[in-house]
Amino acid sequence: MSGDFALLRRFDPAGLRAAAEGWRRLSAAAEDANGLHRHRVNGPLRGHWQGRDADSAFFTMESTEQKLEIVRVEAESAALVLNTVADRMDQARTNLSNALQRADEWHLPVADDGTVGLPPQAAPDRHDPDAREERQGQVVLRDQVQDRIHAALAAAREASDQGARALGRLGADILARPRVFGAAAESAQDVQDVAKDLGLAAPYIPENKDPRQSAEWWKSLTPEQQQNYTALHPEEIGRLDGLPSTVRDRANRLVLEQQLDALKAGDARGSGMTADEYHQRETNLRVLKEKLDQRDGADQQHRLLLLGLDPRGDGKAIVSTGNPDTADHTAVLVPGTGTTVKEMPGQIDRINKLQDSAKDAGPSGETVAVVSWLGYDAPEVSTSVMTPGRAEGGAEDMRRFTGGLRVSEGDHRSHLTVIGHSYGTTAVGAAAAGGQGLQADDIVAIASPGMSTDNAANLHVDPDHFWAGTAADDNISLATGLTLGPDPTLGAFGGQTIRIDTSGHSGYWDPDSESLANQGRIIAGMTPSTVDNHRGEPGAIVSGL
């Protein structure tokens, strides 16, 4: 005990905390380096450099970015361990100091090895009951102090042992392998194991129920704490509506890397997935990552932000072109039937076109962000497309997302437009009609089979700012007015009908079309061209001609 007693008395947490700060700086540097590499090296080369040499180079560059992410997570984990051990050791030292202070107050001698003695007695009188009682009291006090010293030393040893085990998991050999799939996933597992080694309870992270509460919690953290949460708990941070979009993007990118790495490692045990499902999930995430990578070299206005990711099942993803927190105009496009993460590249192409169209329509210099919101389980082409169940199931999530956009933009208020396509209009209708609505300035229904409500006035938006349009030959007309509500392009619905000049169910984003231009005008806060919506019988198709 003597060595531990002396060491704990002299313990100074400053050394461990300085080391932790060094690891935290390394973690931040790795994150910054990864961002610079993505935006200034890898991103600009994507789409311009092709061939075998390019494939080999991109493989190596992706490996470099993965290693930087591993350094980021491992270094942040090391900082967590060192700070935790420093705090616990410092508390043990404080407890020891308090015990020694009690010993001094009670005149109990403490030897150099931490053994507590009794004060000397002059001439003990065995027949003096008062002397015996006093001595017994001193023995009790001595035992109390000794127990406190033992407890402080035990706590210090436990903290030291836990820290040693946790740090032992964080070895540089994870970077020594040239390209072994599973390293990023292994690093993510290290975080969980380190927390177990330290006996840490799960940190408090708000449930994703109130974007304003989440934002206030985030702002209450120090920059160091924010860095720690983003690196060590990316899945929880990435899904919190109300947090800055750039923070969610960093967290979700890390989740994407870790998920892909685990899938590429090929370990499907315990996943509950078949081999085909395992392969499909990997393919879906790979397609999404490649699309994100292609835009890493773009300017801030056209850079993609990954605002949400859920790889389970067919997958869910929320991607923005431009930053909705700072844009003058923001649109949210909600896709319809059959849309999964696999189709996200096509959805990104659509939001690109909407962004360009809105910039052309609006005043020069105003910025536009457009979000593809696949935050619900879009129905397959089956009977589920004729029922409102999937729309209602995603309604609260959509309301929380758009409410989160209002929170994350702060004092800067963006003009917000929500656009639904096909069954996506049903989802928009269910969300807008419930709770406090979508907090949108304009709502657009493109090729709607019905919006689960019978009047625009129910959507928490000025009916003069509700717009609907359907192509004359769009087969969605076969479903409109049947089970999902009346045709919103008709006057009885209470909104306005925009001019549509494209053909079919997927042509609404054709270049140089009035269909696309009208959506761009609405996003930019301008007036689109409309047609008379007071003609035709219920269920009739507006020609747009």
Side-chain angles (χ1 to χ4, degrees):
M1 180 174 76
S2 60
D4 291 344
F5 177 74
L7 287 173
L8 187 56
R9 290 190 70 178
R10 297 196 305 269
F11 175 74
D12 184 352
L16 286 178
R17 287 175 178 151
E21 181 57 29
W23 283 107
R24 180 159 286 126
R25 287 196 300 270
L26 175 60
S27 178
E31 182 181 4
D32 291 343
N34 191 20
L36 289 172
H37 189 273
R38 282 174 43 216
H39 299 314
R40 297 188 181 181
V41 181
N42 194 352
L45 290 173
R46 295 273 180 180
H48 302 289
W49 189 18
Q50 299 179 346
R52 293 177 59 184
D53 289 343
D55 292 342
S56 177
F58 286 136
F59 184 87
T60 301
M61 285 189 280
E62 184 177 341
S63 177
T64 298
E65 291 175 4
Q66 182 190 62
K67 288 180 178 179
L68 288 169
E69 289 286 20
I70 291 170
V71 170
R72 172 190 174 191
V73 173
E74 297 276 307
E76 194 65 42
S77 296
L80 173 65
V81 173
L82 292 170
N83 271 328
T84 301
V85 172
D87 290 343
R88 291 177 177 177
M89 292 283 287
D90 195 31
Q91 183 61 57
R93 183 189 61 81
T94 299
N95 292 344
L96 178 62
S97 296
N98 290 339
L100 295 177
Q101 183 176 349
R102 291 292 179 270
D104 185 61
E105 292 173 356
W106 296 335
H107 307 292
L108 300 172
V110 180
D112 291 340
D113 64 355
T115 301
V116 184
L118 293 170
Q121 278 185 312
D125 184 350
R126 289 177 297 174
H127 302 291
D128 185 351
D130 292 336
R132 289 198 305 272
E133 184 176 351
E134 179 182 6
R135 198 61 169 174
Q136 289 171 356
Q138 291 171 342
V139 170
V140 170
L141 295 176
R142 179 200 62 186
D143 292 345
Q144 289 180 4
V145 172
Q146 192 70 75
D147 288 345
R148 292 186 183 186
I149 291 176
H150 284 316
L153 292 174
R157 293 190 196 100
E158 183 180 20
S160 178
D161 291 344
Q162 288 176 332
R165 284 196 301 272
L167 287 176
R169 297 184 183 278
L170 308 174
D173 62 314
I174 197 171
L175 299 174
R177 292 165 279 178
R179 179 74 175 186
V180 179
F181 293 129
E186 181 182 332
S187 180
Q189 183 62 48
D190 283 345
V191 174
Q192 299 180 31
D193 292 338
V194 161
K196 290 179 181 178
D197 288 336
L198 295 174
L200 292 175
Y204 171 73
I205 298 175
E207 292 186 62
N208 193 24
K209 292 183 177 181
D210 183 348
R212 195 166 299 281
Q213 179 189 33
S214 297
E216 291 173 354
W217 167 77
W218 183 255
K219 292 175 183 177
S220 73
L221 303 177
T222 65
E224 292 77 14
Q225 289 172 323
Q226 292 176 351
Q227 177 183 324
N228 178 277
Y229 275 100
T230 306
L232 303 185
H233 307 281
E235 188 171 355
E236 293 87 344
I237 297 303
R239 66 170 174 248
L240 280 183
D241 295 306
L243 266 59
S245 294
T246 53
V247 170
R248 298 184 69 177
D249 175 64
R250 290 196 298 272
N252 286 314
R253 296 256 190 169
L254 181 54
V255 173
L256 177 59
E257 291 285 356
Q258 293 172 347
Q259 288 281 339
L260 260 176
D261 190 63
L263 291 166
K264 286 185 292 188
D267 185 5
R269 292 171 297 179
S271 67
M273 292 186 290
T274 65
D276 288 343
E277 290 170 337
Y278 207 78
H279 176 70
Q280 187 60 58
R281 180 175 295 184
E282 180 187 350
T283 301
N284 290 350
L285 295 181
R286 168 55 61 183
V287 167
L288 174 60
K289 176 175 167 49
E290 288 176 352
K291 195 68 176 179
L292 294 171
D293 289 347
Q294 290 171 7
R295 294 281 286 280
D296 277 343
D299 57 36
Q300 293 285 348
Q301 177 69 181
H302 296 92
R303 194 168 293 170
L304 296 178
L305 299 177
L306 184 58
L307 303 183
L309 179 66
D310 183 351
R312 294 172 297 180
D314 292 331
K316 299 175 185 177
I318 305 170
V319 178
S320 176
T321 175
N323 189 339
D325 298 351
T326 59
D328 297 305
H329 305 280
T330 298
V332 177
L333 176 64
V334 182
T337 306
T339 308
T340 68
V341 170
K342 184 180 180 181
E343 284 74 41
M344 186 53 70
Q347 296 301 315
I348 292 174
D349 289 340
R350 288 180 178 179
I351 63 175
N352 291 340
K353 292 175 182 178
L354 287 170
Q355 183 186 46
D356 290 341
S357 179
K359 291 188 69 174
D360 290 342
S364 176
E366 293 191 343
T367 56
V368 178
V370 185
V371 180
S372 174
W373 191 83
L374 181 58
Y376 79 118
D377 188 10
E380 301 77 19
V381 181
S382 65
T383 55
S384 62
V385 76
M386 297 300 293
T387 65
R390 297 290 182 88
E392 293 168 351
E396 180 58 34
D397 289 340
M398 194 189 304
R399 284 194 293 270
R400 190 174 59 249
F401 177 76
T402 56
L405 292 181
R406 288 303 190 198
V407 170
S408 61
E409 68 185 7
D411 294 334
H412 164 79
R413 182 177 174 85
S414 178
H415 171 259
L416 177 61
T417 302
V418 179
I419 304 172
H421 173 238
S422 188
Y423 190 88
T425 67
T426 311
V428 170
Q436 300 300 311
L438 295 173
Q439 302 184 42
D441 298 294
D442 289 273
I443 292 179
V444 184
I446 299 294
S448 177
M451 301 190 70
S452 297
T453 187
D454 59 4
N455 198 286
N458 298 329
L459 300 176
H460 290 90
V461 70
D462 182 346
D464 286 341
H465 287 268
F466 172 82
W467 317 86
T470 303
D473 62 349
D474 190 337
N475 287 333
I476 198 69
S477 61
L478 300 175
T480 303
L482 296 180
T483 59
L484 299 176
D487 187 345
T489 66
L490 298 181
F493 196 78
Q496 302 197 63
T497 302
I498 60 173
R499 184 175 297 278
I500 299 295
D501 64 345
T502 48
S503 178
H505 193 59
S506 302
Y508 299 95
W509 300 274
D510 287 350
D512 303 319
S513 68
E514 189 71 2
S515 302
L516 176 61
N518 274 329
Q519 293 176 74
R521 291 172 187 135
I522 296 169
I523 293 171
M526 311 299 286
T527 302
S529 59
T530 60
V531 297
D532 180 10
N533 63 0
H534 292 279
R535 51 194 171 84
E537 298 297 324
I541 302 301
V542 175
S543 68
L545 299 177

